[in-house]
Structure formats: C-alpha cells, structure tokens
Amino acid sequence: MANIKTGITLFSLGTPYLKGELDLEGVIRTAAEMGAEGYEIVASQMIPSYPYVSDEFIAFINKCRDKYGIGPTCYAANMDRGMLRDRDLTEDEMVARAITDIISANRLGCTVMREQYLLSPNGLKRIAPYAEAYNVKVGIEIHNPDSPITQPILDYVKVIEETGSKYIGFVPDFGCFATAPNKPYWDRALAAGAPLEALEQMAQLRYDEVPQEEAMKTMMPTLQKYPVLFSTLSSMYGFVQFRKSCKAELEGLKRIIPYCFEMHGKFHYVDENLHEPAIPYEEIIPVVASTDYDGYIVSEFEDEGGYPAVEQVTRHVAMVKKLLAECK
C-alpha cells in the first residue's frame, strides 16, 4: 500500500522569489501554508554557496523548520555539463560534482537527491557507494520527452538492477504522461492571432505521430502566415510532448516504482475545478496510489503562462490531496 506525502519543489515559487516578492523564508512559509509536508530545494537557485552548504545556511533552514514545521526532503542538483567555455565536463568531473552534491544534501538533512540525466548510467553506478555512505538516495529525473519505457531510461534500469543498490533510482516527472497540448503555449498562440483550426491541425499531427520534419512541411504555409506557430509546433515535439494515451508509460512506471524516491507533480495550469488539462492526474494518481510507493509527490509549477504562482500551486496541492483521498 502506498504511503504518499505531498510537497512542493521551491522552483514552483521561483517567479515571486526572483522578483523579490518573497524571500527564501517567505517561500518556505508559503509552502507550509499551502499544506506541503516537505519541500525540494533547487540548490543552484536558492543556496548562496552552491554547490557547498555553509553552517549559516544550515542554521537558517533549521530555524525555518522550527517556525513552519517543514524542511527540505530532496536536494535538486544541477549537472551543468557545459559549465566550461571550451569543452563539456568529463564523466570523472561529473561524478565528482555529484559526490559534492550528495555531501551537501546530507548536510541539509535531505535523504533524496534529484540528479539530471546528463550523468550517464555508468556515472550513476559509480556514485552508488557514496550515496549509501551518506544515506542519500539519488534519483535520475525522468523528464519528457523520455518516459519510463524509453531506451535511455531502460539503460539506467539495467544498471540499477545490476548493482542491486537501494540508493540509485529515479525521480519521475509527470510531464512525461501528458495527453494533450500545453495550455500556456496554446493560449499564447491564440492571443497572438493564430487560428484555432491551425492549432488543432498541429495537435492532430502530433497525435498521429507524424515526424516533426514532415509536420513542419505540412504546416509551412500556415507557419509562414502565423510565425508564432513555429515555436508552438516545435514545443509539441520537444519537452512538452503528448500522446493519445499514457497507459503504456504508466505500466512502465509501475515496474520501476521500487526505484522511485520522489515524484515531480509537473503542471502548467490547474483550473478552478482542480483539473490539469494536459497532464491526466485523474489517471496518474490512482496508479501511483495502487503501488507500494513510499515518498513525496512534489508540486512543480512551470510558470510559462503568467498565471499567479501562489494560486496555481495552492490549487495543485489541493488537487493531488483530493485525488489521493478518492483512492482510499
């Protein structure tokens, strides 16, 4: 039986944070007020001494925990492979960075670390002993366009199963289960004057799994007339892909549940009826609830449409709690 807790990645409140409307304590306080039971901290965004953690910052986080009742449960690391001007980082260098992040996560009291796919399966294998030594479970984020059944993710599964380590696994992002177009991109195109029928035609091409190059050729006369649609169509084949059904992907999720340490409740918009139009939470949550998953679903708001972040994240937390309650 699943033991699911709700949380927030502080990335969700990145816009008010970066605008200075909320300082970090305000972000943590707001997360607690929304009903989060814990939070993921995006290290490179919110830790001044990143990739290291100072004693002063640890004291600040502990003070906030005492005041607001929640603390960091997951350390979101940033694998910046392209940080050097003249070359990419080598695997040895990326492994070293990951080990530094594991140590920082441990110092903050996090028992989960989100790592990015830029760390190879072999790199993940190499950090397993360090993850165990510091009691930090490291999960590779499964992010659209990948999913639990795509080959790059299956390559990680092979390594995880070969090592038998309980400290390397995944952080699935619900965006990989999308079954409809991204609402902010869709609405932006409409606001720029693109015709609804053109958007519907592009969406159908994506549903029909027409290759991107062929879809571009088919839509070229319309794209030239409405240039905003170039980015809209490209997005449908990029990080906001969607398909007719996510049943196969959800079956794949069930298979890797033993290796899942946290889940990103990705969303782009939740309406007043607590519904996300592109990502089928009504299908996803019952599947997760039917497993033995023991961990957090953290709300992750992609602030692309100009919707109020606090309102949107509040709705999302409420939606997840509502769907979980319906599964009992």
Side-chain angles (χ1 to χ4, degrees), residues 146-223:
D146 278 315
S147 79
I149 61 173
T150 55
Q151 191 58 51
I153 302 306
L154 296 178
D155 291 342
Y156 286 105
V157 172
K158 181 180 179 181
V159 164
I160 293 165
E161 293 181 344
E162 285 176 350
T163 65
S165 174
K166 304 296 184 184
Y167 284 84
I168 54 175
F170 298 108
V171 174
D173 180 295
F174 289 172
C176 67
F177 304 118
T179 55
N182 176 287
K183 178 177 170 58
Y185 290 12
W186 188 276
D187 289 350
R188 192 177 304 140
L190 289 174
L196 177 61
E197 54 269 27
L199 285 164
E200 291 175 339
Q201 183 181 1
M202 292 194 310
Q204 192 58 52
L205 289 169
R206 187 69 191 88
Y207 279 129
D208 292 341
E209 300 183 2
V210 174
Q212 183 175 5
E213 186 176 344
E214 185 178 334
M216 292 287 285
K217 289 179 181 178
T218 299
M219 296 300 304
M220 188 54 67
T222 305
L223 297 176

Side-chain angles (χ1 to χ4, degrees), residues 9 40 74 76 114 141 171-175 262-266 281 296-300:
T9 173
E40 174 187 276
C74 179
R114 186 290 312 263
E141 183 176 13
V171 174
D173 180 295
F174 289 172
E262 181 189 81
M263 297 190 182
H264 277 176
K266 171 66 62 62
Y281 274 83
Y296 283 82
I297 294 176
V298 297
S299 298
E300 185 181 38

Side-chain angles (χ1 to χ4, degrees), residues 223-242:
L223 297 176
Q224 291 174 333
K225 188 174 181 180
Y226 303 99
V228 68
L229 291 178
F230 275 102
S231 61
T232 309
L233 182 58
S234 294
S235 74
M236 292 181 179
Y237 286 84
F239 285 106
V240 288
Q241 291 186 22
F242 54 92

Side-chain angles (χ1 to χ4, degrees), residues 85-314:
R85 183 175 298 179
D86 58 334
R87 63 174 178 82
D88 285 344
L89 296 183
T90 65
E91 182 179 281
D92 286 348
E93 289 167 330
M94 287 190 281
V95 166
R97 287 186 62 81
I99 293 169
T100 297
D101 284 324
I102 288 169
I103 295 169
S104 294
N106 171 269
R107 281 175 52 77
L108 272 179
C110 297
T111 56
V112 174
M113 184 176 105
R114 186 290 312 263
E115 185 55 90
Q116 294 169 310
Y117 71 93
L118 293 170
L119 183 68
S120 69
N122 189 60
L124 183 65
K125 176 182 178 180
R126 290 173 63 185
I127 67 170
Y130 299 92
E132 183 170 0
Y134 285 94
N135 191 34
V136 176
K137 294 182 177 180
V138 180
I140 296 292
E141 183 176 13
I142 303 177
H143 196 289
N144 208 346
D146 278 315
S147 79
I149 61 173
T150 55
Q151 191 58 51
I153 302 306
L154 296 178
D155 291 342
Y156 286 105
V157 172
K158 181 180 179 181
V159 164
I160 293 165
E161 293 181 344
E162 285 176 350
T163 65
S165 174
K166 304 296 184 184
Y167 284 84
I168 54 175
F170 298 108
V171 174
D173 180 295
F174 289 172
C176 67
F177 304 118
T179 55
N182 176 287
K183 178 177 170 58
Y185 290 12
W186 188 276
D187 289 350
R188 192 177 304 140
L190 289 174
L196 177 61
E197 54 269 27
L199 285 164
E200 291 175 339
Q201 183 181 1
M202 292 194 310
Q204 192 58 52
L205 289 169
R206 187 69 191 88
Y207 279 129
D208 292 341
E209 300 183 2
V210 174
Q212 183 175 5
E213 186 176 344
E214 185 178 334
M216 292 287 285
K217 289 179 181 178
T218 299
M219 296 300 304
M220 188 54 67
T222 305
L223 297 176
Q224 291 174 333
K225 188 174 181 180
Y226 303 99
V228 68
L229 291 178
F230 275 102
S231 61
T232 309
L233 182 58
S234 294
S235 74
M236 292 181 179
Y237 286 84
F239 285 106
V240 288
Q241 291 186 22
F242 54 92
R243 55 191 62 80
K244 292 179 182 178
S245 169
C246 62
K247 288 183 179 179
E249 289 72 21
L250 287 174
E251 285 299 313
L253 177 64
K254 287 195 284 188
R255 188 202 162 200
I256 64 168
I257 281 290
Y259 316 135
C260 293
F261 306 140
E262 181 189 81
M263 297 190 182
H264 277 176
K266 171 66 62 62
F267 72 104
H268 303 273
Y269 176 76
V270 175
D271 65 25
E272 60 274 14
N273 296 315
L274 305 184
H275 173 70
E276 217 290 359
I279 301 171
Y281 274 83
E282 293 82 1
E283 295 181 51
I284 299 168
I285 296 298
V287 166
V288 178
S290 70
T291 70
D292 293 328
Y293 175 64
D294 184 4
Y296 283 82
I297 294 176
V298 297
S299 298
E300 185 181 38
F301 178 45
E302 292 284 355
D303 192 355
E304 302 163 318
Y307 312 113
V310 173
E311 177 185 74
Q312 281 294 303
V313 181
T314 300

